[in-house]
Amino acid sequence: MRILHTSDWHLGKLLYNQSRYDEFECFLKWLQESLLSHQADVLIVAGDIFDTMTPSNKAEHLYHHFLAQAFKNHIKHIIIVAGNHDSPTSLQKTKEVLGVLNTHVIGSATDNLEDELITLYDGETPSAIIIATPYLRDRDVRTSGDAQSIEQKNSDLLQGVADHYHLLANLAKQKQQYIKDTYQITIPIIATGHLFVAGSSVSSADDGMRDLQVGTLGQISASIFDDDIDYVALGHIHASQIVAKQSRIRYCGSPIAMGFGEIGRHKQVLIVDIADGQPIQVNALSVPIFQSLAKISGELDFIYDNLAKLSEYDQDIWLEIEYTGSKVLPDLRQLITDAISETRLTALSIKNRSTYKGSLSQGVTSAVPKLEMLSATDVFDKRLEKEALNDDEKTALKHAYQTLLKELQETDTKAQ
């Protein structure tokens, strides 16, 4: 059996308000071709298909068109689980229709664990058991009431997630044994997960991952994945990596750079080969770059020199420019605009650090970086700095804020 593992498409995501639909379309076309050329039997998408819980019509069209084309190309099975950016309701609403296209969609956990167990067949013969687990929200695994500390709620969440996977693994092994007794074959168990495994490394500060971790908040131990699970296809972290030094537990990472901080990061999907009696084989398949990005930071002359070099390339390049010189340049944006007016370069972001430093040095305290440059956590931290609190109090407030932010971001807006 050959599996192609991908995740974190984030269809509909903007980069400094710039539409990226052409990139997404190119990626999905490339993925379609890769499924065919590498003769994949199963496609697993481990969460965050969309960037928001209310995806645009264009984003949904790309998604459904891809699945329809995959069916026409005779891809045997497609497994899709929801991520924290996805709306479980939105994904589930087309579940029955997509089931006709050999596509299994799991939007959220239910009271019936069997809903997350999918047995794949090759003709009449079972070929694999999939533990298709989506992103688990607090309400999915809650074991106690609301009246508890932040630390206790986090501890209960982690334990609830671990218990959820252990129960599913036991059910999968029972099903595996039944199939062995019935068909005299041992089929593999594959699990999915959309979560932050402790020890994993994020790709960059601007890679689009929601900043929900403070200390160990929300981080899950790799020990939740039973040793009898042959492969764990993970999503959520945008950097491809092996987890806990176990080659069977993998993040494939996002297929395109989600921010300028990811420039130079290797983007890939994973080809997983499972053969009876043989060690599992995992190989990376590099994803082409469909939109060039460049980041320039420095003095004005340095910026000009690099703009000139980049303009020599016969391609569209999106830029993030940061001026760090000491001279105040209030007209920096116009200077950059003039410099690239006859080129295929587009400046999506121009950061003028000198303006902030110059204003502050003159005693003007109202000059602050633009809001688009700050995350929700950055804003909270800056507000917290104004309070006369000790470190323990600040840490407690950060935990409380992160929990509130997490609950807000996990609200299924379409279910309301």
Side-chain angles (χ1 to χ4, degrees):
M1 169 180 289
R2 172 163 285 182
I3 298 169
L4 193 151
H5 167 203
T6 179
S7 73
D8 296 275
W9 295 354
H10 289 276
L11 300 178
K13 181 176 176 59
L14 304 176
L15 186 58
Y16 289 114
N17 295 318
Q18 175 68 46
S19 169
R20 309 184 73 177
Y21 288 119
D22 288 346
E23 275 183 279
F24 295 129
E25 189 169 4
C26 288
F27 162 68
L28 293 177
K29 180 180 178 182
W30 172 87
L31 182 59
Q32 204 77 251
E33 294 168 350
S34 298
L35 287 166
L36 286 173
S37 62
H38 291 272
Q39 299 180 318
D41 302 298
V42 182
L43 170 67
I44 293 179
V45 188
D48 281 353
I49 293 86
F50 299 108
D51 192 56
T52 72
M53 291 187 178
T54 54
S56 66
N57 290 335
K58 177 65 173 178
E60 288 191 320
H61 171 74
L62 288 174
Y63 167 66
H64 289 120
H65 177 74
F66 171 84
L67 296 178
Q69 190 61 47
F71 177 75
K72 292 178 182 178
N73 290 339
H74 305 291
I75 305 304
K76 294 179 182 178
H77 304 283
I78 299 176
I79 311 295
I80 293 177
V81 298
N84 59 305
H85 282 246
D86 298 313
S87 162
T89 303
S90 179
L91 287 182
Q92 290 278 146
K93 71 182 180 182
T94 56
K95 178 177 181 176
E96 292 185 7
V97 174
L98 293 177
V100 179
L101 306 182
N102 298 334
T103 299
H104 307 271
V105 179
I106 306 296
S108 62
T110 67
D111 293 334
N112 184 8
L113 287 175
E114 291 281 353
D115 290 344
E116 293 174 45
L117 286 182
I118 301 169
T119 302
L120 304 184
Y121 286 83
D122 186 2
E124 299 295 324
T125 305
S127 57
I129 298 169
I130 309 293
I131 300 176
T133 301
Y135 178 73
L136 295 173
R137 291 167 166 78
D138 182 68
R139 64 175 179 264
D140 296 326
V141 295
R142 187 191 300 274
T143 57
S144 56
D146 294 327
Q148 53 182 319
S149 67
I150 298 298
E151 290 76 10
Q152 187 60 49
K153 287 185 70 174
N154 184 52
S155 176
D156 286 353
L157 172 62
L158 300 184
Q159 187 59 53
V161 172
D163 291 344
H164 190 87
Y165 272 96
H166 289 320
L167 289 170
L168 281 168
N170 288 335
L171 288 174
K173 286 188 287 185
Q174 292 173 21
K175 183 168 288 191
Q176 184 187 51
Q177 184 61 49
Y178 171 78
I179 291 171
K180 182 177 181 181
D181 295 340
T182 305
Y183 293 87
Q184 287 74 54
I185 57 173
T186 300
I187 63 174
I189 299 175
I190 314 298
T192 70
H194 193 89
L195 38 76
F196 194 146
V197 178
S200 302
S201 300
V202 299
S203 184
S204 70
D206 67 344
D207 71 353
M209 267 196 64
R210 287 173 175 161
D211 184 13
L212 297 178
Q213 283 72 36
V214 175
T216 60
L217 183 65
Q219 296 190 22
I220 312 293
S221 169
S223 64
I224 69 170
F225 302 116
D226 191 283
D227 291 339
D228 290 319
I229 297 176
D230 294 272
Y231 182 75
V232 182
L234 295 176
H236 189 45
I237 303 295
H238 293 172
S240 58
Q241 58 200 282
I242 294 172
V243 174
K245 299 181 180 179
Q246 298 189 54
S247 60
R248 71 186 180 99
I249 307 176
R250 301 273 188 132
Y251 285 105
C252 58
S254 59
I256 66 175
M258 293 296 162
F260 284 91
E262 287 199 282
I263 293 173
R265 295 280 186 176
H266 181 63
K267 293 299 181 180
Q268 61 186 30
V269 298
L270 298 175
I271 302 292
V272 184
D273 287 312
I274 302 175
D276 190 19
Q278 299 295 322
I280 190 170
Q281 299 291 325
V282 182
N283 294 292
L285 180 60
S286 296
V287 179
I289 296 174
F290 304 108
Q291 173 61 58
S292 296
L293 304 177
K295 183 175 183 177
I296 307 173
S297 178
E299 297 276 359
L300 186 59
D301 286 344
F302 178 82
I303 292 173
Y304 279 154
D305 288 344
N306 280 273
L307 289 177
K309 292 175 182 177
L310 291 172
S311 66
E312 295 175 0
Y313 293 97
D314 187 25
Q315 60 179 296
D316 295 322
I317 303 176
W318 292 350
L319 306 172
E320 181 182 75
I321 298 173
E322 180 182 45
Y323 170 64
T324 60
S326 57
K327 183 180 179 180
V328 176
L329 296 176
D331 58 343
L332 176 65
R333 182 169 296 276
Q334 187 59 52
L335 293 174
I336 299 299
T337 301
D338 292 342
I340 63 175
S341 61
E342 302 296 327
T343 72
R344 296 178 64 180
L345 308 179
T346 303
L348 300 188
S349 173
I350 300 175
K351 302 175 182 180
N352 190 347
R353 298 298 186 191
S354 70
T355 300
Y356 310 137
K357 291 187 294 184
S359 298
L360 289 172
S361 67
Q362 296 172 38
V364 180
T365 58
S366 60
V368 294
K370 291 183 179 179
L371 193 59
E372 69 181 25
M373 297 165 59
L374 301 174
S375 68
T377 304
D378 291 334
V379 174
F380 185 79
D381 288 345
K382 288 182 178 297
R383 179 65 183 84
L384 204 58
E385 290 172 1
K386 299 179 180 295
E387 299 297 325
L389 302 170
N390 61 40
D391 290 342
D392 289 341
E393 290 171 328
K394 288 182 178 180
T395 298
L397 283 171
K398 286 182 180 181
H399 274 279
Y401 176 73
Q402 290 287 339
T403 300
L404 177 60
L405 184 63
K406 185 173 186 289
E407 291 175 355
L408 286 172
Q409 291 178 339
E410 290 181 356
T411 299
D412 188 345
T413 55
K414 287 198 172 185
Q416 296 180 342

